[in-house]
Amino acid sequence: MRRYWTRLTVALVATAALAGCGLGGSKASEDTGGAVTGAVKGKVSLQTWALKPKFTDYMQGVIDAFEQKYPGTQVDWLDQPGDGYADKVLSQAAGGTLPDVVNLPPDFALPLVGRNLLLDVGQADPALTADYVAGGIDAYRFPGHTGAYGYPWYLNTDVNYWNGDLLSRYGLDPKKPPTTLDELIAQAATVKERSGGQVYLMSRKPGLGDFANAGVKIMAVDGKSFTFNTPEAVALLDKYRDAFKRGLLPQDVLTDKYAGNAKLFTAGTVAWTTGGANYIGSLATDNPTLAPKVVPSPAMGTPPLYVQGLSVSAASKNRPAAVALARWVTNAGNQAAFAHLTSIFPSTKASAQDPFFARSDGSNAGDAKVIAFASLAKAAMLQPVQVDGAMSDIVNQQIALAVSGGATSQQALDTAVARCNQLLSQ
């Protein structure tokens, strides 16, 4: 993604220097806040990402209902294919043709916020914080910028999944799985000892999300530097290095050849993995005999939050209709209907009492759905959106070096922070 947004910044700098080139001139770069008032009428454009053809009927129904609720409105719905979406948004932003309402995950929204191309919907819609879950809104708040720049649309998170059969076989209680790293390490030692090293409980190295859950501040408040080389991060890496040295993780877990804990879980050689709320359903296809034995539990610490949202262009010539449309698409009823069609969760507070999400049918898959939905109340984005692919590679390489003993934890973290800060400054 870094190359997309580097090109976007260059393009925006160039086009912003040209008066009247479709970015709304100085007004678009200055007038990005304030409550939006006025009649909801006229034409307004909506861009989604890869919803056709599977969800055409659903979206068209939402649009038709909006036009009926607000007579005189006309929605121009654009749906872009999955591949190349970042390039498309880049081109639209640089050319001043960004739709009035556009589907942007937080990492796509950030560079546009930096150029004042998105509306602060927190100011435009004073009811935002009252109606949507805090984590979803916070995903569209960015360091160095005041306000919120997107309506959270649909959410997801991770759940822990345990092989109940393996835990029982090695003397552990599937109804009391680990809830902390220390408990995980202790039970991993039990599994190793009693399985003769044939089965693992731990099967992945840590990442930035684990640091965040350990109380590590990943970035400075202003978002201009990384700060995760702290004593807390060192202590966490030291625990993983010790566990790796004791053989509690697969030997190839630090290499590019590692199959991944999800595949090993499916094969029955690993007793723990993480996944979305629908994981057991997909597992039933890959390993139908294992799926009924799986026990779900909440993610350890703060659950990770995955967000899609709708942002409003600051250059929109029809802000009242744009804000109303973004709120309409993301309201409780429309989000619930969408969630019934696919494996996502709504972001509105009003959805909390919906029995479809809040009650299990008694199956382990139903339990997982309820656990995931309940987790959204405290879920948060654990990895800053500023982290791109190149930075992730650096962090992963240095973590692997520390866990393997090739460098001290402090050395590895210092190197990762220095190199990521260098990329960030570019």
Side-chain angles (χ1 to χ4, degrees):
M1 293 308 302
R2 185 173 184 83
R3 67 180 185 275
Y4 292 132
W5 299 125
T6 299
R7 288 160 52 197
L8 173 60
T9 300
V10 172
L12 290 177
V13 169
T15 54
L18 303 176
C21 63
L23 289 175
S26 61
K27 184 177 180 180
S29 62
E30 296 173 0
D31 182 18
T32 58
V36 170
T37 59
V40 178
K41 61 182 181 180
K43 293 183 178 181
V44 61
S45 54
L46 166 67
Q47 179 166 285
T48 55
W49 184 7
L51 294 187
K52 290 183 177 181
K54 186 175 182 179
F55 301 107
T56 298
D57 291 344
Y58 164 76
M59 281 302 303
Q60 194 59 58
V62 171
I63 291 168
D64 291 345
F66 177 81
E67 292 175 342
Q68 291 172 11
K69 179 177 176 63
Y70 298 103
T73 57
Q74 180 181 338
V75 178
D76 180 17
W77 176 31
L78 313 169
D79 186 70
Q80 303 294 345
D83 292 338
Y85 188 62
D87 272 330
K88 183 63 178 180
V89 173
L90 180 156
S91 177
Q92 291 170 327
T97 60
L98 201 67
D100 296 297
V101 181
V102 57
N103 179 191
L104 295 175
D107 55 332
F108 282 33
L110 173 61
L112 302 187
V113 172
R115 295 301 304 170
N116 296 319
L117 294 178
L118 297 182
L119 189 68
D120 176 2
V121 295
Q123 291 191 45
D125 184 352
L128 181 76
T129 57
D131 294 341
Y132 297 85
V133 297
I137 298 172
D138 288 345
Y140 289 90
R141 300 186 190 277
F142 304 105
H145 303 278
T146 58
Y149 295 89
Y151 285 87
W153 187 3
Y154 51 93
L155 314 176
N156 220 321
T157 187
D158 282 343
V159 173
N160 283 327
Y161 292 101
W162 311 91
N163 185 321
D165 183 57
L166 288 179
L167 293 184
S168 297
R169 185 183 307 172
Y170 301 122
L172 300 174
D173 187 351
K175 295 181 180 179
K176 296 179 180 179
T179 59
T180 66
L181 176 59
D182 288 341
E183 291 178 2
L184 180 66
I185 292 173
Q187 293 198 22
T190 298
V191 169
K192 182 201 174 189
E193 178 185 355
R194 297 182 180 179
S195 71
Q198 299 302 305
V199 174
Y200 295 94
L201 188 61
M202 298 175 66
S203 59
R204 66 173 182 83
K205 65 180 184 290
L208 291 179
D210 297 284
F211 292 158
N213 260 325
V216 177
K217 297 296 184 184
I218 307 301
M219 295 196 79
V221 174
D222 61 8
K224 295 181 179 180
S225 63
F226 290 98
T227 58
F228 56 84
N229 53 337
T230 68
E232 294 83 1
V234 168
L236 185 142
L237 281 187
D238 284 349
K239 287 183 179 182
Y240 269 91
R241 185 178 65 230
D242 179 66
F244 182 75
K245 186 176 181 180
R246 295 166 59 191
L248 304 186
L249 293 89
Q251 285 298 303
D252 62 348
V253 72
L254 305 178
T255 72
D256 293 336
K257 296 180 180 180
Y258 183 55
N261 69 322
K263 289 186 177 180
L264 297 182
F265 185 86
T266 300
T269 58
V270 160
W272 169 55
T273 191
T274 60
N278 64 331
Y279 174 74
I280 294 176
S282 61
L283 180 64
T285 299
D286 298 329
N287 190 340
T289 60
L290 173 59
K293 303 173 184 176
V294 172
V295 178
S297 74
M300 297 179 197
T302 300
L305 183 66
Y306 310 115
V307 187
Q308 283 287 349
L310 294 180
S311 296
V312 176
S313 170
S316 172
K317 296 180 180 179
N318 193 355
R319 287 186 181 182
V323 170
L325 179 59
R327 170 171 276 278
W328 176 260
V329 174
T330 60
N331 71 27
N334 286 328
Q335 286 207 51
F338 195 15
H340 280 248
L341 298 176
T342 188
S343 300
I344 52 92
F345 293 104
S347 62
T348 63
K349 294 180 180 179
S351 303
Q353 303 306 316
D354 189 327
F356 179 77
F357 307 108
R359 298 177 189 170
S360 174
D361 59 6
S363 68
N364 58 353
D367 292 344
K369 180 182 70 173
V370 171
I371 290 170
F373 185 62
S375 297
L376 293 175
K378 63 174 184 177
M381 292 187 65
L382 301 179
Q383 178 168 298
V385 295
Q386 291 90 338
V387 178
D388 63 16
M391 295 175 190
S392 292
D393 288 343
I394 290 170
V395 171
N396 287 333
Q397 289 165 2
Q398 291 303 312
I399 286 176
L401 194 63
V403 172
S404 68
T408 68
S409 296
Q410 190 67 65
Q411 289 170 340
L413 290 169
D414 288 345
T415 298
V417 165
R419 291 183 181 175
C420 286
N421 282 339
Q422 183 178 18
L423 290 177
L424 188 65
S425 67
Q426 296 172 1

